[in-house]
Amino acid sequence: MSITQQELELLMQEVEQEDPIDFADLPFDEKDLRGIVASHLCEMADAMESFSEEDRRLTLLAVSAKLVLENLVLHVQLLRRHGLPLNEQTEALLARLRGKGT
């Protein structure tokens, strides 16, 4: 199953309706950023065409995990830089990582 860049961009927008992205004052157009990401992911998907179904799932899971981790790190860094408290979910996750919330 293949997806076009435009289809992926539309899916991204649908997901963002439930969980909006704060583009803040970035000097880039949101649509352009979405397009770059969708293009990159479609290229990645095409490159995995020869992978087994299991390898494709593992690769996508690894890429997703890396992105979630990167997002968490950037979020915490941004909050610290601005002297803002962490939200409940982030505090709970960090506590779990420290071994306090298991």
Side-chain angles (χ1 to χ4, degrees), residues 5-7 9 11 18-19 21 39 49 58 61 70 75-76 81 84 91 94 100:
Q5 176 181 333
Q6 292 77 20
E7 291 169 330
E9 287 179 52
L11 287 172
E18 291 295 318
D19 186 15
I21 295 173
S39 173
E49 281 296 316
L58 289 173
L61 186 58
E70 184 175 48
H75 180 73
V76 171
R81 184 173 299 136
L84 298 171
E91 281 286 3
L94 292 176
K100 295 179 183 175

Side-chain angles (χ1 to χ4, degrees), residues 12 23 26-39:
M12 291 167 68
F23 288 91
L26 289 179
F28 307 104
D29 181 72
E30 293 176 27
K31 186 174 177 1
D32 291 342
L33 291 174
R34 208 174 280 110
I36 289 168
V37 169
S39 173

Side-chain angles (χ1 to χ4, degrees):
M1 181 176 108
S2 185
I3 186 169
T4 68
Q5 176 181 333
Q6 292 77 20
E7 291 169 330
L8 184 53
E9 287 179 52
L10 288 173
L11 287 172
M12 291 167 68
Q13 286 178 303
E14 286 181 33
V15 171
E16 288 174 44
Q17 289 177 1
E18 291 295 318
D19 186 15
I21 295 173
D22 180 5
F23 288 91
D25 57 353
L26 289 179
F28 307 104
D29 181 72
E30 293 176 27
K31 186 174 177 1
D32 291 342
L33 291 174
R34 208 174 280 110
I36 289 168
V37 169
S39 173
H40 178 68
L41 289 173
C42 285
E43 288 171 11
M44 248 177 66
D46 289 344
M48 290 190 294
E49 281 296 316
S50 64
F51 287 22
S52 70
E53 189 66 29
E54 178 70 12
D55 286 346
R56 234 187 328 252
R57 280 191 202 124
L58 289 173
T59 301
L60 291 174
L61 186 58
V63 168
S64 297
K66 188 257 185 199
L67 291 173
V68 169
L69 175 60
E70 184 175 48
N71 187 51
L72 172 65
V73 168
L74 292 172
H75 180 73
V76 171
Q77 287 174 343
L78 183 62
L79 291 174
R80 285 184 173 170
R81 184 173 299 136
H82 293 286
L84 298 171
L86 301 177
N87 65 30
E88 252 181 66
Q89 294 91 347
T90 305
E91 281 286 3
L93 179 59
L94 292 176
R96 283 183 53 206
L97 292 173
R98 291 184 201 111
K100 295 179 183 175
T102 45

